[in-house]
Every structure is written in C-alpha cells, then in structure tokens.
C-alpha cells in the first residue's frame, strides 16, 4: 500500500469515527450531515460505490435507512464496539492491510477466519457438515488466541465460530473477546445455550454476535433439528432482543424447507424477532451420509435468486445467499480469498464444506497455511468459473475439486468416514448439469442489466 493510499485509508477511518460519534446524539437528524462529513474528509475516488449507496439510503429513507435506524435500538456500548470493530477495524483498516499482504506474500489473505472451538454439539441435525468430524475435538484457548494474534498481523479482525456447537465453550469464547477487544466475533449457534447469564456476558464484552440457526417455521425447523428446537430459538431471540443485543439468523435451505425460508412471512418474522441479518447457505452433500435429494431444484434456486434481490429492496434486514451472490464478490470466496476454515483438530481447510488440507495450525503459522499447496491452488485458479452464479469447485464445477486435491496431495480431514473428492463431487455432477442452463441465463441477464445501467450514466 502506497503512502497516498495509507493517507486515504486513515482519512476515511477518521471520517467514519467522527461520524459515528456524531450520530449517537440524534441518528435521524445526523445521518445526512454524516454523509457530508465523510465526503468532505475523503478523497473523491475513495469508497465511491459504498458512499453512493449510503447516500441513496439516506435520501430515499428506504429499507437500508430503516436498517441503520434499527442499529440504534441496540445497547449503545455494544453498538459502538460493533461499528469500531466491524466497520473500521475489519472492513476499512483491515482490508487495506490484507490487500497490502496479498501483494507482499502473493497468496490469499482472508477478511474472516472461521474456526471450530469444539466438534461437540448437543444436537445432530440432518446435513450438518460439522457432524462429520465427530464430537471429541477441541481447539485450546491458547491456540485460538494464537490464531487471532496471527490473523491481526495480516489484517484480519473478523472471526466466526462454527462447530460443533461453539457455545459449549462459552467461558473460553468470552475470554477471547476480552483478550481481543479490537476484533468482532460472530458465532453460528443453535441458540439452545443462550441464557440470561450469557446475555450479561455479551453486554460486558460487547464484541460477540450470535447467528442462530433457524430452518424455517416450527414444522420445517424441528423436522431437521429436533422437536422443541424452534421454541428454544424463539426464547433465545427474545432474550437477546430484551437486552438490546445484535444477532442474526443462519439458514440452510433445502428442497424441503425452501418455501418457508424464502417467503415474505419468514423475513417479516425475523425482523419482528429482532434479527439484523440472515445468511442463507445452500445444502451441500458433504459426507458419506449426505442426502443429495435435499439439494434444491434449479427452479427453486432461481426463485431464491429473485426473491432475495426483491426483499433487499424492501426489508430492513441484511440478507446474503452465499451461492447466489457470487456476482458481488467475484465468485468463490474460500481458500483464504475472503475466508478460510480451521477445524477443531487444527486442520486448515479452504472451506467449511471442503474437508481437505495439507497443514495443521499446531504445526505451522497461519501465513504458512495460506501458502500451503491447496490454498495456493485456490489462489491461482479463482474464480473457478467466469459465471459467478456457478462459483464453487465442488457444487457447480465438480470436476475442479478432485483436480485440486490430486494436484496438491491434500488429505481428507473427515475423521469419522473419510470421503474422496471424487466421491463427494460425483454427488454434484447431475446438480451442476441441471443448474448450468439457468445460471447461464441469469448471468447473461445480469450482465445486460449492468451494461444498460452503465450506458445510461
């Protein structure tokens, strides 16, 4: 990063910091003034699209504006920590450092690191990738601390816990929040272990955000997660809302629950419950016990594509569909390009769904892992498809992953029932062939829309 770029980054960080403090007094009155302050302090060519989107939201008072105001219903100290850690540290300062290190080391540097504190879980949900690891593994507090310290040196300030059920390790997760108050920690969780005491701990440390798993309304959710889970989730969300704590929802969509999770009623329910975001994950047929029949049909996935874009224009909640939103992030984000995954044994994997690795974090540095063979293969080969609605080297491009694994000598890290890349990807061949015509049609339409919008400017 050049001196000029560093000055731009510092100026933008200063503008955001000043603006956020200004907003605390009166958000609705201060939002337009904040944009004027940001524009004044930042060079004209810096964060242009982001600033334009924010300005549009404020001028139109649209659903994104309403989402911003919803943030001001949160506990003030928690909100301040979130803005500082997520907006400034992870997304502004951190991204600049990451870009610098990509050039320096010629490898991917992640915006976020996903890690499994434990493989233990109090549930056993159909299709959960984490169940493949067994239930006896843990990353020590010292190892998690080391990962975060190394990550910050590379510019990574966002850490996301998967599992297992991370909240089995409540005490250690809170301790890590205390040790790294400049980072934001998000945790996928089934929500069953969120109670009054844990809400108080979240208020104390200020930098922990749950993403609670919910697979639709009660019948759809409990058919996958077990009877009573829906009721437990409702209780957890009510507690979080009562304490003005931020949280979101994580949803795995399948052929069975598609209608629930893509409905307007589901979005409205999440907003009413207090959720600020919803992340949608496509069901992946990972593991020998996977059920490929649960994968959505091309018609369902196309409908998901259209519905999420429509609701983004009307609903005050941040929604992301990781398979259908590849156009916004340039395709596959795994392999350290935007994130990586470290399982509970310490194996450093390119993706939570891709259980193949060359290295273990107990035996090498984080940077060495990012420069290991399979990570460098991702770095060299991304994007795996010019059509970013077909981003994955497993799901939509099933010939690619076996090539990467064979080329790099990566070992399978499923300790329960090892699965070859060929066996895994064979389950995706028909799906990929069925999805391609629809994906190509949608991609062509999107490119035409962008070209038309560019010509109109």
């Amino acid at each position: 990063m050049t001196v000029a770029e560093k000055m731009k980054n510092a100026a933008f960080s200063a503008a955001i910091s000043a603006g956020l403090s200004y907003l605390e007094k009166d958000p609705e009155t201060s939002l337009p003034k904040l944009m004027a302050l940001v524009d004044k302090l930042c060079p004209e060519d810096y964060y242009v699209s982001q600033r334009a989107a924010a300005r549009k939201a404020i001028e139109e008072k649209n659903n994104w504006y309403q989402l911003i105001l919803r943030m001001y219903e949160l506990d003030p100290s928690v909100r301040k920590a979130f803005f500082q850690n997520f907006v400034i540290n992870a997304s502004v300062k951190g991204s600049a450092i990451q870009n610098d290190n990509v050039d320096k080391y010629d490898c991917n540097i992640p915006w976020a690191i996903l890690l499994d504190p434990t493989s233990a879980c109090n549930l056993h949900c159909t299709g959960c990738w984490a169940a493949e690891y067994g239930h006896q593994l843990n990353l020590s507090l010292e190892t998690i601390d080391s990962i975060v310290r190394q990550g910050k040196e590379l510019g990574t300030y966002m850490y996301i816990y998967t599992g297992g059920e991370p909240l089995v390790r409540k005490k250690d997760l809170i301790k890590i929040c205390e040790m790294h108050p400049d980072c934001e920690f998000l945790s996928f969780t089934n929500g069953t272990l969120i109670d009054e005491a844990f809400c108080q701990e979240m208020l104390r440390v200020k930098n922990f955000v749950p993403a609670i798993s919910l697979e639709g309304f009660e019948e759809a959710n409990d058919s996958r997660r077990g009877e009573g889970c829906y009721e437990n989730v409702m209780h957890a969300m009510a507690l979080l809302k009562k304490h003005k704590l931020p949280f979101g929802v994580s949803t795995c969509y399948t052929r069975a629950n598609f209608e629930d999770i893509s409905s307007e009623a589901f979005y409205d329910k999440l907003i009413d419950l207090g959720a600020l975001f919803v992340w949608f994950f496509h069901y992946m047929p990972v593991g020998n016990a996977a059920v490929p029949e649960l994968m959505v049909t091309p018609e369902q996935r196309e409908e998901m594509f259209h519905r999420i874009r429509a609701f983004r224009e009307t609903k005050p909640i941040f929604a992301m569909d990781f398979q259908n939103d590849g156009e916004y992030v340039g395709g596959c984000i795994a392999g350290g390009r935007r994130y990586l995954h470290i399982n509970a044994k310490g194996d450093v994997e390119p993706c939570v769904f891709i259980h193949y690795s060359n290295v273990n974090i107990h035996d090498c540095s984080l940077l060495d892992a990012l420069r290991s063979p399979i990570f460098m293969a991702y770095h060299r080969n991304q994007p795996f498809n010019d059509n970013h609605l077909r981003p994955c080297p497993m799901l939509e491009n099933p010939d690619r992953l076996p090539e990467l694994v064979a080329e790099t000598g990566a070992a399978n890290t499923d300790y329960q029932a090892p699965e070859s890349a060929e066996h895994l990807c064979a389950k995706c061949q028909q799906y990929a062939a069925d999805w391609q015509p629809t994906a190509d049609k949608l991609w062509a339409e999107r490119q035409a829309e962008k070209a038309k919008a560019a010509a109109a400017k």
Side-chain angles (χ1 to χ4, degrees):
M1 188 164 50
T2 66
V3 172
E5 287 170 335
K6 289 178 180 178
M7 290 177 66
K8 287 181 180 181
N9 185 66
F12 189 75
S13 294
I16 292 293
S17 295
L20 292 174
S21 297
Y22 194 58
L23 274 178
E24 290 295 327
K25 302 173 184 176
D26 183 358
E28 290 200 66
T29 302
S30 301
L31 273 169
K33 297 177 182 178
L34 168 61
M35 282 312 306
L37 177 64
V38 169
D39 287 338
K40 179 180 179 180
L41 293 177
C42 291
E44 289 185 6
D45 62 343
Y46 212 52
Y47 287 90
V48 176
S49 61
Q50 293 91 333
R51 286 157 56 192
R55 193 177 297 106
K56 179 182 177 182
I58 294 167
E59 291 171 355
E60 297 180 359
K61 289 185 167 51
N62 61 19
N63 58 305
W64 293 101
Y65 176 83
Q66 298 303 320
L67 178 58
I68 293 170
L69 294 185
R70 288 186 65 210
M71 295 290 292
Y72 282 85
E73 297 171 5
L74 299 175
D75 175 85
S77 62
V78 172
R79 178 177 60 247
K80 182 177 180 181
F82 175 81
F83 281 141
Q84 176 65 47
N85 294 345
F86 181 82
V87 177
I88 297 177
N89 294 353
S91 302
V92 179
K93 181 178 76 173
S95 293
I97 298 171
Q98 292 157 29
N99 292 337
D100 204 16
N101 282 320
V102 167
D103 294 336
K104 181 178 180 180
Y105 297 113
D106 189 29
C107 67
N108 288 334
I109 302 294
W111 176 78
I113 293 176
L114 278 66
L115 57 133
D116 299 350
T118 181
S119 63
C121 185
N122 56 334
L123 300 179
H124 191 90
C125 304
T126 304
C128 176
W129 74 79
E132 301 305 313
Y133 295 121
H135 301 280
Q136 307 298 321
L137 305 170
N138 294 282
L139 292 175
S140 70
L141 176 67
E142 293 74 21
T143 297
I144 298 173
D145 175 46
S146 175
I147 292 168
V148 175
R149 290 182 183 279
Q150 293 179 68
K152 287 197 290 186
E153 289 181 6
L154 296 173
T156 305
Y157 286 81
M158 186 73 195
Y159 295 86
I160 303 175
Y161 296 123
T162 55
E165 170 49 53
L167 294 192
V168 169
R169 299 275 304 281
K170 284 182 183 181
K171 183 177 179 180
D172 285 340
L173 299 193
I174 290 296
K175 181 64 176 177
I176 289 290
C177 288
E178 293 175 323
M179 296 167 76
H180 299 281
D182 53 347
C183 293
E184 196 68 15
F185 296 92
L186 183 143
S187 179
F188 293 112
T189 173
N190 58 45
T192 60
L193 300 178
I194 294 174
D195 54 18
E196 174 69 28
F198 190 68
C199 287
Q200 293 299 330
E201 288 291 83
M202 288 176 60
L203 284 168
R204 183 173 65 83
V205 297
K206 303 175 181 58
N207 57 341
F208 186 92
V209 179
I212 302 175
S213 297
L214 187 63
E215 314 299 344
F217 295 109
E218 187 167 10
E219 182 179 352
N221 184 79
D222 287 3
S223 68
R224 182 164 183 245
R225 295 188 165 270
E227 186 177 352
C229 283
Y230 183 84
E231 185 177 336
N232 289 334
V233 166
M234 294 301 105
H235 176 67
M237 290 183 179
L239 273 176
L240 293 164
K241 185 177 182 180
K242 171 187 172 184
H243 291 290
K244 300 183 178 181
L245 286 162
F247 69 92
V249 168
S250 166
T251 295
C252 175
Y253 63 96
T254 71
R255 191 172 303 193
N257 73 349
F258 164 76
E259 287 299 338
D260 265 23
I261 62 90
S262 64
S263 68
E264 184 171 15
F266 186 66
Y267 275 75
D268 290 342
K269 178 73 171 179
L270 298 184
I271 294 166
D272 183 61
L273 290 168
L276 295 170
F277 61 90
V278 53
W279 288 357
F280 294 102
F281 296 90
H282 190 292
Y283 175 78
M284 300 287 197
V286 177
N288 290 300
V291 185
E293 292 76 18
L294 282 175
M295 289 192 287
V296 293
T297 66
E299 294 78 16
Q300 287 175 324
R301 182 165 170 181
E302 180 179 9
E303 188 62 25
M304 185 72 177
F305 173 93
H306 292 302
R307 290 186 189 182
I308 195 171
R309 282 159 176 75
F311 290 141
R312 282 194 190 124
E313 299 296 319
T314 58
K315 302 297 181 183
I317 188 170
F318 178 74
M320 179 174 284
D321 175 354
F322 285 88
Q323 287 310 120
N324 280 340
D325 283 340
E327 65 174 303
Y328 304 116
V329 290
C332 173
I333 61 173
R337 182 170 165 265
R338 291 291 182 270
Y339 91 97
L340 58 81
H341 179 238
I342 303 174
N343 70 24
K345 192 178 181 181
D347 298 309
V348 187
E349 305 168 334
C351 176
V352 293
F353 301 112
I354 305 297
H355 300 164
Y356 304 92
S357 177
N358 296 108
V359 294
N360 189 286
I361 200 64
H362 297 112
D363 305 320
C364 71
S365 69
L366 180 60
L367 180 59
D368 286 342
L370 287 162
R371 300 174 77 177
S372 67
I374 196 164
F375 277 83
M376 292 305 295
Y378 266 71
H379 180 60
R380 290 191 302 270
N381 286 280
Q382 287 166 320
F384 296 107
N385 197 306
D386 291 335
N387 181 341
H388 296 162
L389 293 174
R390 299 170 57 203
C392 180
M394 175 188 73
L395 186 67
E396 295 98 352
N397 304 279
D399 294 333
R400 301 302 305 274
L401 183 62
E403 294 173 353
L404 297 178
V405 171
E407 170 194 333
T408 61
N412 184 252
T413 50
D414 175 350
Y415 308 116
Q416 296 297 98
E419 179 179 33
S420 71
E422 289 77 13
H423 182 267
L424 169 63
C425 290
K427 291 177 284 186
C428 302
Q429 290 285 353
Q430 189 61 53
Y431 175 93
D434 291 344
W435 170 241
Q436 181 175 348
T438 303
D440 288 348
K441 178 198 72 168
L442 292 173
W443 186 248
E445 291 172 355
R446 292 293 287 173
Q447 299 317 297
E449 289 172 9
K450 291 177 183 178
K452 184 178 179 180
K457 289 183 179 180

